[in-house]
Amino acid sequence: MTVTGQVTDAATGEALAGCSVVVKGTQRGTTTDANGNYRLSVPNGNVTLVFGFIGFVSQEVVVGNQTAINVGLKSSASELNQVVVIGYGSTTKRDMTGSIKSIKSADFNRGIINSPEQLIQGKIAGVNVTSASGEPGSNQTITIRGPGGIRSGSTPLFVLDGLPLDNSSTGGATNPLTFLNPNDIESIDVLKDASATSIYGARGANGVVLITTKKGKSGTSNLTLSTSVGISKMARPLNVLNANDFRQGVTALGGVLDDRGASTDWQKVVSRTAITQNYNLGFNGGSQKLTYFGSVGVQSQQGILKNSQLNRYTGRINVTQQLLEDRLSLDVNLNAAYTDNQRPPIGNLIGSAIAANPTYPAYDSTGVPFQYQGGVNPIIALNLNKDATATTRVIANLSPSFKILKNLVYKLNVGLDYSNATQDIQSLANAVPQQDGRLDSYYTNNRNTLVENYFTYTLNRGNNNLTALLGHSYQKFFIQGRNWSINKFPITPVEPIYNPGLGQDLTLANNQPGGYAIQNELQSFFGRATYSFKDKYLLTATVRADGSSKFGSNNKYGIFPSFSAGWRLSDEDFLKSGPFTDLKLRAGWGQTGNQEIPAKITQALYTAQVSGTTSYPLNSSSSYPAGISYTRLANPDIQWEVSTQSDLGVDFAVFNGALSGSVDYFRKVSEKILLQVIPADPVQPASTYWTNVPDMRITNQGLELDLNYRYASQSGFRFDIGGNITFIKNVVTNSPYSVITSGSANGSGLTSATINGYINNQPIGTFFLKEFTGFDEKGISTYRDVDGDGIITDKDRIAAGSALPTKQFNINSTLAYKGFDLAINFNGVSGNMVYDNTANANFYKLRLSKGLNVTPEAIQYSQESINNSAPVSTRFLKDGRFFRLNNLALGYNLNPKAIGMNRWVNNIRLSVTGQNLFVITPYNGYDPEVNGNQAINGVISYGIDYLAYPKARTVIVGLNLTF
């Protein structure tokens, strides 16, 4: 017989997704779907069903003659018993004293997802995820409570199933985290404040993101098959002139119009309607002693620019085995992934498409790409150039834990992260336009090994609860890269990538091989103690000592302590009769480090070269041997950057938990900033050296507010709405330089021009520019003379705003009724600026007069001369605020019985998802969410838009089957 029904929260009526429904004493069972519904075949009415869900009291029901059984589970402590991963262990939301946010898979963003950062975009206060490019597999910028470094980066530490990952590139332009299949992830826990992150010591200053993959459940056996197809188009093409407006514009400026009679939208020509296909097969289950989870996934994603493609193939197996009367538990996690990323010449392709004459046809009468002088047909560039990167990555870890005593557990964690990538950048030989064939090949090999041992002791005696952790960690990183090239290939049907031996230019001058190798080691000792009294008074103390080979010989080890406390007021007698279901005060302080500094900078660096300044002839000839000279001085005192962070927080829930939220005030001060500075003694063999600047500080402080409201009616209607907002202020103080330049400009005539940087008493990413004031009587640009000396120089630059937003806001909502559910996710920022380097380099009157296309913005000033230049200035600085509908997903759970499939299928789910459906912004570039890499000498840049890959608007249709 078949039993169906729904499992809900007895207090709120909210459906419980993922609840296990098992026939008692057997392995037969299933789990509830997104609406809490289940369907299970049982042998007869004499069996008992066991309903179980984390944080709720299990319930048993005898089937009898019932075919429909609805169950309301009572919460063991509402969502306060929700398990939260905290690093080297877990706790419950009830007992947390640090600022931690846990996002479960049911709440992840939906759509085409390439990396785990996208799953939590807009979900967590204080966490800013920037999808700076629309390219498949592109890097995502993620900061937690603001950036705190200049050269060391602000990317948090990612930990996958207990294995800390390295943020180094695995080759090509692909995001290193693209290897991970989003369907395999069970939860993502973000540690935000120092009291939570200090357990990771010298790597915790930028926050920690803990990724936990799915595990099997005992007593069940499920097979899931999901597939989806997505259709993507360019969301916001640039508003360049059409053919008629172009003809009028060139003529009005007195330019020479080369009119070929066509009306070509070149952005359409180089782009396409892209198709993305996703296929995932998952299986999980287990017995009392053995549980397993496995998956196979394939994603084929076309980019909206032609010849842009990302293919990802993943496989995972997670197994947990209980042995020796459950005293020994063995966890094995294995993940293998292969990604193939094909890229067109993005910058050149976009640059030529937005500038090309729209009266030129794309193809001639014979169907061949049209050839024209004064530029290159973008289609020809597409056909002649490509960038292909193939990456293989395998991650495995073995984690046995042994219960030595009743309250003492020893755990060993052995992990390996290995990746190998090959990148080939190819240019085909061509006659018109003339181009020599060339092949550049890059090989990258990364290896990350981990060995950890730690003990966990728990003591529960009366009102006292103590958990103590003590451990040791050793991690070793090896990164190697090699490259070579061959030039001048003949025009043949054989591509250079398949036969490099056809290259005719093998001279070292044009094809010198290169390479590098980096080896870093990290040894750590760590401990943590958590104590609670009467479940009301909570204390946590953590300390970690990190020794890193990146640090100087005089500073090999750093000590990183933290303390936090919590007070659950809602359990006090004077508040028990009040409106609060939960009310907890939190306070924490701690220090963490940032060791994401360039390798080897503590050591001297030499170079060998042949020149008159580094060597001299050894005989009467004019031949110079290679001379050895310093390019970097040794500094044994270099150490990690240090962040000191304080956090005050309140967690609350009212109306029987229907309305819940948290408020946090934080202050993070980063010190000992690592810089490359000029030596005080001018008589030095090297012009600069690396050091920690003792007085320089980068301060991030702000307020986070997170709210969530839930409503469920007896009729089955469920409504959730939540959101968060972050107010954050960043400032740089006591820098030894008036400005540390970071963002460089690109484009003709703009080479070596700088855009933004780090300025005293200003935020990171401040735009340091001449202030555009209009035009003089000759139509030439004028700028404010700040110092009043009568001439415009770099001394007249002003701080004109920052690329960092001062406000981040997000809204999430879910509506469900019977089989239907609708999920909505908005996100946005404000208070930030964007420099439109694309417009600066491409859109001004002089280019239109020469027959190159522009936007109407370029010719909006009638008084501007066509001979006016367009240097870097506030003229191209624009408001970067936006509000985006990031996700809209409509789903329906179809009853298999209605279509006669209930014998084989437990659940059928149909869904339609819209991604990036609209964005409201004053910015008129492709997208305001940009952050091109325009770094200068390794100093990180922010908020510069230069020929960025356009964002897509996507609709995805999906089907999920559970057997």
Side-chain angles (χ1 to χ4, degrees):
M1 58 187 297
T2 300
V3 180
T4 62
Q6 184 184 40
V7 182
T8 58
D9 184 334
T12 65
E14 180 181 359
L16 297 179
C19 174
S20 65
V21 185
V22 182
V23 177
K24 188 175 182 179
T26 72
Q27 296 184 26
R28 178 177 294 185
T30 186
T31 56
T32 57
D33 61 23
N35 292 313
N37 297 316
Y38 72 92
R39 174 176 296 276
L40 182 64
S41 296
V42 298
N44 52 63
N46 297 324
V47 301
T48 300
L49 298 184
V50 181
F51 298 83
F53 194 68
I54 295 175
F56 289 78
V57 178
S58 296
Q59 186 172 336
E60 297 183 3
V61 179
V62 178
V63 174
N65 59 1
Q66 303 176 84
T67 57
I69 301 176
N70 297 322
V71 173
L73 295 183
K74 294 181 179 180
S75 172
S76 55
S78 186
E79 64 174 10
L80 297 179
N81 279 337
Q82 177 185 350
V83 176
V84 178
V85 180
I86 57 174
Y88 302 103
S90 60
T91 186
T92 62
K93 187 175 180 181
R94 176 185 185 88
D95 296 328
M96 287 191 317
T97 57
S99 183
I100 304 172
K101 181 70 172 181
S102 181
I103 304 295
K104 305 303 180 185
S105 57
D107 298 318
F108 287 161
N109 289 326
R110 304 170 194 177
I112 299 174
I113 304 294
N114 296 129
S115 62
E117 305 102 313
Q118 294 171 283
L119 294 172
I120 59 173
Q121 184 176 26
K123 298 289 186 178
I124 305 175
V127 178
N128 187 23
V129 178
T130 302
S131 301
S133 169
E135 182 183 4
S138 62
N139 283 302
Q140 307 289 309
T141 302
I142 175 172
T143 58
I144 299 176
R145 292 184 168 178
I150 292 180
R151 292 179 177 273
S152 55
S154 296
T155 302
L157 173 68
F158 287 89
V159 181
L160 175 63
D161 289 327
L163 176 62
L165 304 180
D166 185 24
N167 288 329
S168 299
S169 169
T170 54
T174 309
N175 185 337
L177 295 177
T178 297
F179 77 95
L180 194 56
N181 186 346
N183 288 277
D184 292 345
I185 300 176
E186 178 67 29
S187 65
I188 297 179
D189 299 83
V190 179
L191 316 184
K192 297 192 287 185
D193 70 338
S195 66
T197 63
S198 63
I199 194 67
Y200 290 101
R203 294 176 291 178
N206 296 325
V208 181
V209 178
L210 306 176
I211 302 172
T212 303
T213 57
K214 294 177 179 178
K215 303 291 190 292
K217 297 179 180 179
S218 61
T220 64
S221 179
N222 289 316
L223 178 69
T224 60
L225 175 65
S226 64
T227 179
S228 65
V229 177
I231 301 174
S232 305
K233 299 192 71 172
M234 190 183 298
R236 288 162 45 98
L238 293 184
N239 183 30
V240 294
L241 301 179
N242 61 32
N244 289 332
D245 292 338
F246 178 81
R247 294 181 179 100
Q248 297 174 11
V250 174
T251 304
L253 294 178
V256 178
L257 176 63
D258 184 10
D259 189 351
R260 300 300 177 95
S263 179
T264 304
D265 184 341
W266 287 104
Q267 291 181 90
K268 270 190 178 180
V269 169
V270 301
S271 63
R272 63 183 172 186
T273 299
I275 305 298
T276 297
Q277 302 175 68
N278 241 310
Y279 305 95
N280 289 280
L281 176 67
F283 51 94
N284 71 86
S287 62
Q288 185 178 357
K289 300 290 185 179
L290 174 68
T291 59
Y292 61 88
F293 169 84
S295 74
V296 177
V298 177
Q299 176 176 295
S300 174
Q301 181 181 358
Q302 292 181 339
I304 56 173
L305 294 182
K306 292 178 179 177
N307 295 356
S308 175
Q309 175 93 25
L310 175 70
N311 296 324
R312 178 179 63 199
Y313 309 88
T314 62
R316 169 172 289 278
I317 185 74
N318 294 341
V319 178
T320 300
Q321 173 76 63
Q322 303 289 338
L323 301 164
L324 302 179
E325 297 179 342
D326 294 344
R327 295 187 68 179
L328 176 63
S329 178
L330 181 64
D331 290 328
V332 179
N333 303 310
L334 176 63
N335 184 89
Y338 174 80
T339 56
D340 178 21
N341 189 19
Q342 305 284 332
R343 309 178 72 223
I346 296 170
N348 291 337
L349 183 65
I350 296 174
S352 57
I354 61 178
N357 185 332
T359 70
Y360 288 172
Y363 299 91
D364 63 19
S365 57
T366 64
V368 175
F370 182 75
Q371 300 277 2
Y372 58 86
Q373 295 181 349
V376 177
N377 187 328
I379 303 173
I380 297 176
L382 270 173
N383 295 335
L384 294 180
N385 302 279
K386 73 175 180 180
D387 178 346
T389 302
T391 306
T392 301
R393 189 166 186 177
V394 177
I395 294 183
N397 66 314
L398 176 68
S399 303
S401 60
F402 182 73
K403 186 180 291 186
I404 302 173
L405 300 171
K406 179 181 179 181
N407 299 328
L408 181 63
V409 177
Y410 160 74
K411 186 163 187 176
L412 169 68
N413 186 19
V414 180
L416 170 66
D417 178 4
Y418 174 81
S419 67
N420 184 281
T422 301
Q423 180 185 21
D424 293 309
I425 302 176
Q426 173 183 275
S427 298
L428 297 179
N430 194 62
V432 182
Q434 195 281 327
Q435 177 175 292
D436 287 340
R438 182 175 175 85
L439 175 65
D440 291 87
S441 292
Y442 300 84
Y443 301 91
T444 306
N445 193 331
N446 293 17
R447 188 169 63 249
N448 167 12
T449 55
L450 172 76
V451 178
E452 291 180 327
N453 298 270
Y454 56 96
F455 296 86
T456 304
Y457 175 76
T458 57
L459 176 65
N460 300 311
R461 185 169 297 172
N463 292 322
N464 299 281
N465 296 287
L466 173 69
T467 301
L469 170 75
L470 185 65
H472 169 266
S473 175
Y474 173 78
Q475 194 163 12
K476 184 176 181 178
F477 305 93
F478 177 76
I479 303 167
Q480 182 181 19
R482 288 174 290 176
N483 66 279
W484 54 267
S485 61
I486 300 178
N487 208 26
K488 289 193 175 179
F489 284 81
I491 300 176
T492 69
V494 180
E495 296 184 27
I497 194 173
Y498 300 118
N499 190 353
L502 296 177
Q504 300 168 3
D505 183 357
L506 303 178
T507 59
L508 288 179
N510 294 323
N511 299 287
Q512 184 173 356
Y516 61 89
I518 299 169
Q519 181 172 290
N520 297 315
E521 298 178 68
L522 185 69
Q523 177 173 246
S524 310
F525 303 89
F526 54 88
R528 178 176 61 215
T530 60
Y531 171 76
S532 68
F533 179 67
K534 293 185 176 181
D535 285 336
K536 293 189 293 186
Y537 311 107
L538 314 170
L539 294 172
T540 302
T542 307
V543 65
R544 180 163 177 140
D546 276 325
S548 174
S549 60
K550 286 188 175 184
F551 304 151
S553 56
N554 296 340
N555 282 309
K556 279 298 179 188
Y557 278 87
I559 308 297
F560 304 95
S562 75
F563 308 93
S564 59
W567 179 18
R568 188 177 312 285
L569 282 83
S570 54
D571 285 357
E572 297 288 0
D573 292 337
F574 59 84
L575 275 181
K576 278 189 175 180
S577 60
F580 291 99
T581 309
D582 176 49
L583 179 62
K584 181 174 64 177
L585 300 181
R586 294 179 283 104
W589 174 94
Q591 289 187 325
T592 49
N594 185 1
Q595 73 140 24
E596 298 302 313
I597 62 178
K600 306 179 182 180
I601 61 171
T602 63
Q603 305 167 31
L605 180 65
Y606 308 88
T607 187
Q609 58 182 342
V610 177
S611 72
T613 59
T614 59
S615 60
Y616 51 88
L618 299 179
N619 51 41
S620 59
S621 72
S622 59
S623 299
Y624 286 74
I628 306 297
S629 62
Y630 271 102
T631 58
R632 182 177 66 219
L633 300 178
N635 185 352
D637 297 323
I638 288 178
Q639 60 172 295
W640 52 95
E641 296 177 349
V642 176
S643 288
T644 303
Q645 188 170 168
S646 303
D647 186 276
L648 296 174
V650 179
D651 299 327
F652 62 89
V654 294
F655 308 129
N656 201 24
L659 177 63
S660 61
S662 62
V663 181
D664 279 83
Y665 167 79
F666 65 89
R667 178 179 172 84
K668 181 172 70 172
V669 181
S670 301
E671 301 175 276
K672 298 181 181 178
I673 304 299
L674 189 70
L675 283 181
Q676 199 169 7
V677 301
I678 300 171
D681 184 353
V683 184
Q684 294 282 352
S687 58
T688 61
Y689 75 102
W690 290 85
T691 188
N692 296 97
V693 180
D695 299 323
M696 186 176 179
R697 289 176 174 79
I698 298 175
T699 303
N700 288 279
Q701 63 180 347
L703 186 69
E704 300 170 351
L705 175 62
D706 196 327
L707 283 175
N708 189 70
Y709 176 74
R710 297 177 178 179
Y711 170 79
S713 70
Q714 296 297 323
S715 64
F717 175 72
R718 180 167 58 90
F719 172 62
D720 295 356
I721 185 168
N724 60 74
I725 185 168
T726 304
F727 303 90
I728 186 168
K729 180 181 179 181
N730 177 285
V731 66
V732 178
T733 54
N734 298 327
S735 169
Y737 298 104
S738 57
V739 58
I740 302 171
T741 54
S742 62
S744 62
N746 278 298
S748 177
L750 300 177
T751 305
S752 78
T754 60
I755 296 174
N756 62 4
Y758 300 72
I759 304 170
N760 271 322
N761 303 314
Q762 297 291 335
I764 285 178
T766 290
F767 295 100
F768 197 51
L769 304 167
K770 297 174 184 175
E771 185 178 1
F772 175 71
T773 56
F775 307 96
D776 62 16
E777 64 281 357
K778 297 180 181 179
I780 305 301
S781 297
T782 59
Y783 306 94
R784 184 158 70 95
D785 184 6
V786 176
D787 61 6
D789 63 358
I791 56 176
I792 301 299
T793 65
D794 279 345
K795 293 181 180 179
D796 295 306
R797 293 191 178 216
I798 64 167
S802 170
L804 299 186
T806 56
K807 287 183 281 294
Q808 306 161 24
F809 40 88
N810 310 280
I811 301 173
N812 307 286
S813 182
T814 302
L815 297 90
Y817 182 68
K818 295 186 177 180
F820 289 95
D821 59 87
L822 178 69
I824 307 171
N825 170 238
F826 298 92
N827 70 292
V829 299
S830 66
N832 60 306
M833 307 295 287
V834 173
Y835 192 83
D836 194 348
N837 192 176
T838 300
N840 193 176
N842 294 278
F843 302 143
Y844 50 91
K845 275 188 176 181
L846 180 60
R847 287 176 62 87
L848 180 60
S849 69
K850 292 183 176 181
L852 298 172
N853 207 356
V854 297
T855 58
E857 182 183 16
I859 53 176
Q860 63 179 316
Y861 300 110
S862 59
Q863 69 271 32
E864 182 181 7
S865 168
I866 63 169
N867 296 316
N868 187 35
S869 61
V872 169
S873 73
T874 58
R875 179 179 181 181
F876 302 99
L877 185 64
K878 301 176 181 179
D879 191 337
R881 71 182 186 271
F882 68 87
F883 183 69
R884 187 191 309 276
L885 176 52
N886 197 20
N887 253 255
L888 179 66
L890 175 64
Y892 178 68
N893 291 284
L894 178 65
N895 186 345
K897 188 175 182 180
I899 55 175
M901 296 182 63
N902 53 300
R903 288 184 59 189
W904 306 282
V905 181
N906 289 331
N907 187 53
I908 301 174
R909 177 175 171 80
L910 304 170
S911 63
V912 179
T913 302
Q915 200 169 5
N916 188 29
L917 293 181
F918 70 78
V919 60
I920 301 172
T921 178
Y923 186 67
N924 57 2
Y926 277 127
D927 196 273
E929 199 173 3
V930 290
N931 189 19
N933 183 14
Q934 307 293 100
I936 299 176
N937 295 326
V939 179
I940 302 167
S941 64
Y942 296 87
I944 299 174
D945 182 6
Y946 182 66
L947 302 179
Y949 195 113
K951 291 279 184 65
R953 181 175 294 117
T954 304
V955 176
I956 306 115
V957 178
L959 169 66
N960 291 55
L961 302 174
T962 303
F963 301 91

